[in-house]
Amino acid sequence: RMYSEAPTEAAKARILSLSTPGAQAHWSAIPAFYHFSLPSGPATVALNLQLGLPQPSLRGVRTCVCGATIDPLGYHYLVCARRGWVITQHDGVRDTVAAMLKTVYDPGSVKVEPR
């Protein structure tokens, strides 16, 4: 019933993905190490994305730095090429690889190119 009454295709996709067996298992998993645990801020964002709830941190935010209108659920930030999750993940990988290279090579020879 919830699926058929979902207002958008994105809401239908969210409901369908949450209804599969084991879809919520990560919320009850005990982290093997402390640094694998999810801090409360990102946990709130993840939970709100899963439940289709507005992101409290986006209250009052109307426009992204890229010029796009911000939706209250925060979906834009998952795909934004200027400030979104993809860019954050890219920068994290870039910085990790640079740190690894600095342990092997002369740190002064490893340059991180700004975006």
Side-chain angles (χ1 to χ4, degrees):
R1 178 179 161 111
M2 283 181 61
Y3 179 81
S4 62
E5 294 175 3
T8 65
E9 290 302 312
K12 286 181 180 180
R14 182 181 50 75
I15 291 168
L16 187 61
S17 70
L18 291 174
S19 64
T20 59
Q24 301 301 312
H26 59 283
W27 291 114
S28 61
I30 299 171
F33 300 100
Y34 175 75
H35 60 276
F36 289 158
S37 63
L38 195 58
S40 63
T44 300
V45 170
L47 186 60
N48 286 344
L49 281 170
Q50 285 191 330
L51 297 176
L53 298 173
Q55 299 292 344
S57 59
L58 295 178
R59 278 193 201 112
V61 178
R62 300 285 181 247
T63 309
C64 179
V65 294
C66 73
T69 301
I70 300 300
D71 59 292
L73 301 180
Y75 290 141
H76 171 74
Y77 285 116
L78 296 175
V79 297
C80 179
R82 297 247 340 249
R83 296 293 293 259
W85 181 82
V86 173
I87 298 303
T88 302
Q89 295 303 307
H90 166 272
D91 292 352
V93 170
R94 176 200 63 198
D95 295 345
T96 300
V97 169
M100 291 168 52
L101 290 172
K102 288 178 182 181
T103 65
V104 177
Y105 298 102
D106 172 33
S109 69
V110 178
K111 304 284 188 237
V112 175
E113 294 290 326
R115 272 187 291 109

